[in-house]
Structure formats: C-alpha cells, structure tokens
Amino acid sequence: MSLHAGVSLAALLVAFTPAAAFAQAELQTTSSDTTQAAVEGQEQGDPAADQTGSDIVVTGRRAALEAADERKRRSETIIDSVVADDAGKLPDNSITEVLQRVSGVSIVRFAALGDPDHFSVQGSGVQVRGLTGVASRLNGREIFSANNGRAILWSDVTPELMAAVDVYKASTADLIEGGTGGQIDLRTKMPFDFNGKFHVAGTAELGMGDLAQKADPTASLLVTDSFDTGIGRIGVLADVAYAQFSSLSQFIRTEPYFKTRISGQDYYIPGGFTYGDEAFRYRRYGIYGAVQWAPSDSLTFTGTFFQSRYKSQSSDYGAQVSSQNLAVDPASSTFDSVGGLLKTDALFNRDQATFLPSPNPVNSGGNKGFVDSTTRTRDYSLSFVWAPEDSHLSLRGALQRVDSRQIYDRLDVFREIAFGQSFGMDLTGDLPKITVSPATQASFANPANYFWSASMPHNEDNKGRLDSANLDAEYTFDDSFLRAVKVGGRYAERTERDFSNGYNWSALGRSWNGDPQLTYANAAPGDIEYHAFKDFFRGNIPLPGNLMFASRDLVSRLDRAELTRSPPAGFCGAPGSALFNNCTAAGPLPQTGYGGAAGIRPIGFVLPDDRVDNRTETLAGYALVRFGTTSGPGISGNVGVRVVNIKNEGSGFIRQNSSSFVRNGQIQGIASTAVPRGGEAEFTRVLPSVNLEYAPMDKAKVRFGYNITMDLPTFNALRSSGSVGVATTANPANVPGSGTNLPGVFTNFTAETGNPLLKPTMSNNFDLSFEYYASAGTSFHLAPFYKRLTDVTVFSLTQRQVTVALSNGVDNNVVTGTETVTAAATDYINSDEAATIKGVEVGGRFFLDMLPGALAGFGFEGNYTFIDSKNPGDVYRDINGVVKRDAPLVGLSKHNFNATLLYERNPISARVSYSWRSRYLQSTNSNGTNPTYGFYGVPGTAATNSIQIALPVYGAAYGTLDAGVRFKVTESFSFGVQGTNLLNATQRTLMGGYPDGKIYGRSWFQSDRRINTGIYLSF
C-alpha cells in the first residue's frame, strides 16, 4: 500500500490513539489529552494537515520538523525532539550526530571526556546544557551499555530503528530519576502507529571517507501490519538495520612543557611528541520487533524486543619521544612571553650533572596497537494500558529486562629507535612540525636500528543486567481546574559483573630479564612492516620519516603467549655476550617469539582478582497533580514529588602489578599481589518538581520549571577495585646498540582506585522558556536556566599513604618486604563545594512561504546556547605543582551554536548545517599530563624537588559543516546525497596550568571528509 503524499510517516508516528500512545512511551510526561501531534482541529489523514499554503505540500523533513515542534508545544515540560521523516529516517547517520543539532546539546568527538588522546569521528559523549549527567531511555524506560557506566553508548544505537529522539531538559515526578543534565528518550515505532495499514519502508546507503577509502554499506527494512481478529486488534512490526562505518584519523601530540632551568632562567620545554594514525571500522546490527494486542478499545498490551550489536576494530600506529630531560640552546631558539618554547632546531637530551648535551641519542618509542571490541544490548519489555472511556481511572504498567555485554581486547607492541642527537620542533604555526637530520632519516630504513621493547594487553569482559517493574494509576476530573492525579511506583535492580586485567606493560626480551635483546633484523617472516603515514594532515605536516612497526597481522592475533616466548636456545649466544645484548647478526627468527614471558602476568583474567561486582537497587514512588484551565489564557501545569531509595554495593580487589625499577641506585621491584576490598551505601532522596505554563495566546507559551534531579555515580567510579604501581623515567644508561638494558628510573609510587561509598550528585534546577509558534514550521524560543550541583563526582589527583609489597626486581613474584609509602593517587571523590551553571538558549526556525514559486521552499533554523559554570570542587595541579580550583565543569562549552539553511519543496529536500562549540574542559587528570617530574636548579646535584602535576586538558573550539539533499522521484521512492566534515576541520586539544594563563597545544586530529549516497523506499 503506498503512503499518500498528504500523510507523512512523521505525522503518523505522533498521531495515534491515547491507548496506543502509552504503548509508544509509557513513562513520558505528556498527558493523555496532549499526546496528539497533529494540528488541533484536524483529523488524522486529513489532506489539509499537509498544507501550509495553497500549493505547498509538506512532506519529508519539513513535516518531521513540524511534528517535532508540535510535540514540544504540547509537552508538559521543556523538551526538544527530532522526528523521523516520511521515509522513516532521522536526518543523520548516528544518534550523536542527530543530537548535536538540538538546542542546548553538544557532543564530544573523543572516545570519552577523560580520554582526550583518542579521537572519535562520530562523537561519543553527549552533554545537555553543559552537563554530562544525561540519562538514556528507550520508550521511557532505562537502558544502558555494560561499559562501567550508567547510560547507553550512543554510538551503539542504530538510528534507523528510531521513530524520534526526545531531549528532556526539565523533569516531572513521573519521569524515572536520573540525569542532572536531562534525559534522552529514544522512541521506536509501534504497529498501531500506522492506523491498521500494511507498511514497508527500506533504506540503502553507501558511504566513503576520503582518508579511509573504504566503501561502507548501510541498510534497513521495516515491515508492519495490523489485523482485526476475533480476540481483538493485533499489530506486528519488524525492523532490522545494518551499518558499517570506516574512518582514518591522524594525530600529532606534544608532551607537557616541563619547567627547565637553563643559564639561570626558567623556560618551559616540551617533553617530546607523538604522531600517528588510527584506522577504525565498526559494524552495527540492529533488530527491533513489536507486537500490540488490543482486546478492547480500553485495553492495549505491548511487547517489544530491541537489540543493538556493535562490533568494532581499530588499528593504530604511533611514534613518540617522551623525556623529562630535554633542553635547548636559548641563543638559537624562540620563546613566548613566559618562556614557553615556540621554535628550535635542536632539542637534545641534557646531562643533568653538567647541563651540557648528553652523549646519548634521543630515544624514540613507538607502538602498534590493535583493538577488537563487541557490545551487545538487549531490551525485553512487556507493558499494558487500561483506559476505559467511561471511567476516570486508568492504569498502566510495564516489566522490563535489559541484558548488555561488552568484550574488549587490545594489544600494544612497543619498539625503540634512536632519533639522533637532537631534533627540531616548530610550534609557531597552526600545526606543529618535527624535523630530524638526514642521517637520522636514513637510519629509519634499517631494521637493525629498531629494538623490540615491550608489550601491553588490556582485556575486558563485562556483563550487565537490569530488571524493573512499574505501575502507574491516574484519575482524571471533568470540568475542574484540578485535571488529574497520578501516582506510581517503580522497582529496579541493576547489576554488573566486570572482568578487567588492567594495562600490564611488560618488557620483551632484555638482557636483564633473562632473554636476549632482539632487533627488527631478527623479526620472523611477516612480523614487521613499513608503515607510511600517507598525506599526513593532507600534506600540511612534514614528518621526520615513515617508520617500521610490528605488523598488523602479528598484533591483531592478540596472542601474548606467542609474542613473549623465548627465541630458540642458543639463537643469540650465551648470556653476557655481545650477540646476546644485540642479536642483529643472528638474522631472522624461524617463528614469532621475542622473549619476556617471565615478566608478564598470567594471560587472560586472574580470578577473582580481576573481577569487580556492582549492584544498585532502586525503589521509587511518586505523586503528581495536573491542573489548569481548559480554554483561554490561564495557568496550567503539574506539581509532584518523587521519593527514591538507592542501595549501592560493590566488591573487588586492589591489584599491585609487578614492576622493576632503579631506586636509590639499585634494581628493585614491586611484587604481584591483590587485596580484597568492598563497600556498600544507602541513600534516600526527595525529588520535587514544579512545571507551570501560561499561554497568553494560542501561538505563545511561557513555562517555568523547578525540580531537583540526581545522578548516580558510574560503576567505574563506584568500583571497589584499583591498582598500586610505580612511575619511572627512561634510564639514561640505556643506549640503543650498547647492550645496556636497565629498568626505568623510579620517580614515585602511584595509586588509582574507585570509591563504592560515593553519594549521588544532586542538582537544583530553575528553568524558564518563552516559546512562540507563529505558524507551521515557524517557531522561536528563549530559555534561560540555572543549576546548582552538590556532591559532584570528580576524578581527583591527590596523595595517599599506601602499603606496597616489594620484591628484588628480578623475580617479582617473591615478596621481600613491605613499605608504607606516599603515592600519587587518582581517586573518585564527591566534591566538597557546589558547582553552578547558568545560561540561556535561543533558537528558532522559519520558512519563506510568502515568497513566490520555488523561493518559498527556503528556510533557516538556528540556535545558540551560552553557558557559564564554576566548579571549585574540581582541582588540578599547575606546572609548578600548585593546586588550583578555577576549572569549569568538565564538558561545558561557554558558546554553542548550530545554523542550518533549509530548502523544502517537492521534490527537493536539502540542508546545509554548521555546528560549532567553543573550548571546553576535558579532564583535570588525564593520562600523559599528570606525571611527577624532577626540577634541577643547578647542575651536578639531585633534582631540587619533584613536582607532581595534573594539567587541565581542554578541547579547543571546533566546528563542522555538513550538507545533504534528497530528491523524491515518486511517492514511494527517493534518493539522496549527504556529506560530512566538508570543511576538513581539525580538532585540537590544549594544556593549561602555565604562568599568565598560557595555554599550549596538546594534540591535533585530522579525520575524513565523508560522502553518503542512498535510496529510500516507502510503501
């Protein structure tokens, strides 16, 4: 059956009977008399519903925009929506891309906010009005991914399965608790949405990135029908989707600028650099099914099954120089006003005993990494709604189970090569430049110059489950200012069992660990490869050279046992011989095996040490009163309260991974051991909500909201597990080719833990919203807001007293004694000071319907959000180790805007969109910017003092331009083209914590420009 041009799928999705409406979104706050998204006074299917002028037929994206406006206008609280068009498709290729265009919403294009070193092309985290505490919902019910968090990974979700996405910026008492920033509800399609009609819709797309050069297919198919039977009306719906996405991102990164005294003056000298690339590919599979049964007009049962499966692989290459002993000659270098290095021809290792250039060459590390990951989330839900027309009482309820699993396997293989006596660095331009001498470049081609160095696996196997039940009752009143009273309760038990074996860095063959030192000249066939960083930053960054790495084939086998087995007996001569210390002359090995097995921890998971268990039990009840005038201007709204009791409990182990180091001139070590740890806590919180609405005219609304919301800490923050270790610097006695391979030099002990006793974060929220709906497709809103947050969870760097089990540094499985030491600790804590957020959103949309002919199709949509925040409870340590409390909230940009030029006129639907956000804090304690370094005041002495730092890392301002056009060929067939990142944007990160507020470049990322073409069918 064809879908008539006058009845868009978008309109049908939001125009259905009150009974079916609840099956669509059981716990959404729109009341039963305001769920209709069709324009008032129009019947569903009325052709007039599709016309805003005598010859303008509204379908496609414009119909979806109007449906979203209508949902916002009729909502009981402040929301924004994105609705699928008449081909059943959301406007972007991922949920994060869909959300970034919503007013007040921003996304993070990194693997996570606390991981600013790994770029994510489609984005990961989502912030609403600057807050990362965003709850994820599926049809009004809780959903999550088993990734140590509380929310679903948005990249896991197939957008083709969604009818709409609702962003709740304020709360009502009947919404599930959670989300200091708000809630995002993914709404799926239901069989009764289609008014008994048989319907088939399908999409097929092909995309490609200009760097990845991989063809990526995407496809989806929906089939639904409803039947009148002897036992009532029955509807069935099946929806499947598949998507593949490939990307290549390139990066270059600088180390922290360490304070370095040269000729009696303090300068800030970068500790080195890293450059490389990462090829990424995911395959996402979505399955969704729904069955609805209405045995009578007053009773509807709904059953749904939703599964999202996300399989990804990434392959990365990186080369780096990382040293705290680099210096320059000021006479031939350029600095900024505070002494930060801008340009030099020679960064060299300095002998701290003389402050003269060290005879040792600069050592460069490098790694080949490979990741294989699978996440699967399943939601099983049964619900009912009983709403007799002749009764004031209605009931609704649901049972739900969510199962989620994530398996993550990573292996990194490291190697070393000399980078000459010095290298040049130019940081004066938009992009950094690294240079080496011609002789050093030539050395990169000789495999004998590369030394096998270390391996590091990381494995996770996480399982999560949620069981929940809710029951709600509503009593309505006729001809009364008091319109309805609603009460309800919910019980939920969320558990997660996580296996994780940490990051067990361990040396490969070294003379000091019993195996010979092998070079790439000893590589078994197929174990190394020459990697060319092609067209790096589109030719705008000249690299020191292309380099050799462990091969993708070797690392992707993820076989550490194979990698670390010893070479054949006698292959490199006797221990202590010249050949044993540099085995190059022995030639290639007959099979893979580069030594070091004696130093690795057991492969896989060591149980129960690597196990962490978390459980959250929630019992909640609420009461809500709806009131208001039924005609003419007046006050309406709802007032309610939700009371929540939460019990958190967890168990795990504090692990001490074995490690060797040079301390006080002697080789020492810490032994491999683990200590059990656990904890539990219970909290009861009262969450009031007030939502008032005044409509001076049909086209205008003024809203006010006050509510208290809460966020539970993530399971990662609550975990009872942790680790104790040591931090070291490269041993200056190690010279490639010399046969000297000593462990790193000790700087300090480290500790990293979770905290099972953390309190929930609470937010007091005040919202205003001024909304004007001039006509269909034309709207405007202005929304100031204020939030005050207490008990914010922060990842803080501090110092702790810990007890370590020492070893002799040779056999780290034997404990030789214990010592209580001071460790640089990174712990999750509740902030002892309140954080505040204030801001305003402004946005709108209009079409030029008054213009003649084809010009009437043009329109514009835009929004801007200003946010200011203070979070004195989050601290960082500047380059001098001084504690600072002037950081904003993590993830919050002060300025955010979206601007879209639209064209909607049959048969063309087109848009050009630009999304931009200003600088935002990513972390006050991220890997690589939180070491302890030694400051040497004068030569020939030990370090004057050890300085512990934790520099704030910011995401720099970033904007992308996307565009798309779709052509409707017939009522059932259309095709389109879409491009993303058309301006070839470069994402940067920045480091703070320097004198006079100076901020230095931390990293630069370049990713694909991408084009998609597709066809869309609807019958």
Side-chain angles (χ1 to χ4, degrees), residues 92-99 122-123 154-155 157 159 282 284:
D92 293 284
N93 295 314
S94 72
I95 293 295
T96 48
E97 289 177 332
V98 169
L99 291 169
Q122 288 191 330
W154 301 108
S155 58
V157 179
Y282 73 65
R284 188 172 56 205

Side-chain angles (χ1 to χ4, degrees), residues 193-484:
D193 295 351
F194 297 89
N195 290 339
K197 298 178 181 179
F198 174 74
H199 181 76
V200 178
T203 67
E205 296 182 352
L206 192 66
M208 179 178 289
D210 64 339
L211 293 177
Q213 291 293 302
K214 304 285 186 182
D216 294 319
T218 299
S220 66
L221 178 66
L222 177 146
V223 180
T224 184
D225 202 357
S226 298
F227 314 92
D228 289 319
T229 71
I231 58 172
R233 188 181 178 200
I234 296 176
V236 294
L237 182 149
D239 200 353
V240 294
Y242 169 82
Q244 178 176 290
F245 181 87
S246 303
S247 68
L248 177 66
S249 61
Q250 300 165 335
F251 66 90
I252 187 166
R253 180 168 61 245
T254 62
E255 294 295 300
Y257 287 47
F258 296 111
K259 186 169 70 170
T260 307
R261 183 157 294 175
I262 305 173
S263 301
Q265 184 175 342
D266 290 343
Y267 296 93
Y268 299 94
I269 308 299
F273 62 85
T274 305
Y275 65 86
D277 59 29
E278 180 177 20
F280 174 80
R281 171 178 286 185
Y282 73 65
R283 292 182 174 91
R284 188 172 56 205
Y285 309 83
I287 301 174
Y288 171 68
V291 177
Q292 289 185 287
W293 173 39
S296 67
D297 291 340
S298 62
L299 182 62
T300 301
F301 295 96
T302 301
T304 60
F305 170 77
F306 172 86
Q307 174 178 290
S308 184
R309 190 179 185 193
Y310 183 90
K311 297 170 65 79
S312 67
Q313 290 185 337
S314 67
S315 175
D316 57 272
Y317 300 82
Q320 69 267 353
V321 168
S322 180
S323 172
Q324 297 178 2
N325 299 326
L326 295 178
V328 299
D329 180 0
S332 58
S333 304
T334 304
F335 303 90
D336 63 19
S337 59
V338 300
L341 182 69
L342 295 176
K343 184 177 181 180
T344 185
D345 293 330
L347 271 158
F348 52 81
N349 272 329
R350 183 172 73 172
D351 186 340
Q352 304 293 20
T354 64
F355 276 16
L356 297 175
S358 169
N360 296 334
V362 175
N363 191 51
S364 170
N367 79 291
K368 172 71 189 82
F370 186 83
V371 176
D372 186 66
S373 176
T374 300
T375 303
R376 186 202 65 208
T377 299
R378 291 173 174 166
D379 177 284
Y380 313 81
S381 295
L382 292 172
S383 62
F384 79 94
V385 57
W386 178 71
E389 291 186 3
D390 57 352
S391 173
H392 292 281
L393 179 67
S394 62
L395 299 175
R396 55 194 67 190
L399 296 173
Q400 178 195 23
R401 166 165 288 183
V402 179
D403 281 314
S404 185
R405 183 171 188 183
Q406 180 186 56
I407 298 175
Y408 179 98
D409 297 298
R410 179 179 180 108
L411 179 63
D412 286 275
V413 178
F414 301 89
R415 52 98 180 119
E416 296 174 359
I417 186 172
F419 238 59
Q421 292 301 121
S422 66
F423 63 93
M425 201 172 210
D426 184 351
L427 300 162
T428 58
D430 291 335
L431 299 169
K433 297 178 181 178
I434 312 296
T435 54
V436 297
S437 69
T440 299
Q441 282 192 333
S443 72
F444 297 158
N446 185 355
N449 292 331
Y450 295 83
F451 292 80
W452 294 92
S453 172
S455 66
M456 183 176 70
H458 177 63
N459 307 96
E460 296 180 19
D461 185 346
N462 304 333
K463 286 184 177 181
R465 171 168 288 185
L466 168 74
D467 289 308
S468 70
N470 69 274
L471 182 64
D472 306 84
E474 184 172 11
Y475 190 87
T476 59
F477 300 90
D478 293 331
D479 301 322
S480 171
F481 181 77
L482 180 63
R483 289 162 46 195

Side-chain angles (χ1 to χ4, degrees), residues 556-606:
S556 65
R557 295 201 291 269
L558 301 171
D559 190 344
R560 201 183 196 192
E562 173 193 46
L563 183 71
T564 60
R565 67 187 171 195
S566 297
F571 182 79
C572 294
S577 67
L579 185 62
F580 194 84
N581 292 327
N582 186 334
C583 198
T584 295
L589 286 160
Q591 62 181 7
T592 300
Y594 303 102
I600 66 174
R601 56 162 276 164
I603 293 172
F605 300 112
V606 177

